[in-house]
Amino acid sequence: MPGAAIGFIEAHGLAFILGVTLWRAESARSWYVVGVAVHLLLGTANLLFSQFFILTGTLAAGYLTTGLHGFFVFAHLAALNAIRWEVPAH
């Protein structure tokens, strides 16, 4: 299905852009929330579409990437918890 390649390229391109953005972003609570949301989305997508990994013979890669998304969810949550709520000065 040639049309499936479009979604694959778009999804991975957007994931790359978000990854670079998060890597370069300042250490702020809002960015850690974005990181949690991104990795929850990507990890959940891996779980929902796990048949793809089976059909393409990349099950080990599926386990690895899904596990890494889970790790990054917890890493972002830990960082989020470590940063105090910043209240803007009035």
Side-chain angles (χ1 to χ4, degrees), residues 49-66:
F49 300 104
S50 59
Q51 281 295 328
F52 174 80
F53 296 113
I54 295 167
L55 292 173
T56 58
T58 57
L59 196 54
Y63 286 136
L64 177 66
T65 57
T66 305

Side-chain angles (χ1 to χ4, degrees), residues 11-25 31 34-35 38-39 42 76:
H12 286 85
L14 287 172
F16 177 76
I17 291 167
L18 284 167
V20 170
T21 300
L22 288 172
W23 185 268
R24 303 282 299 157
W31 284 114
V34 170
V38 166
H39 286 289
L42 297 175
H76 283 294

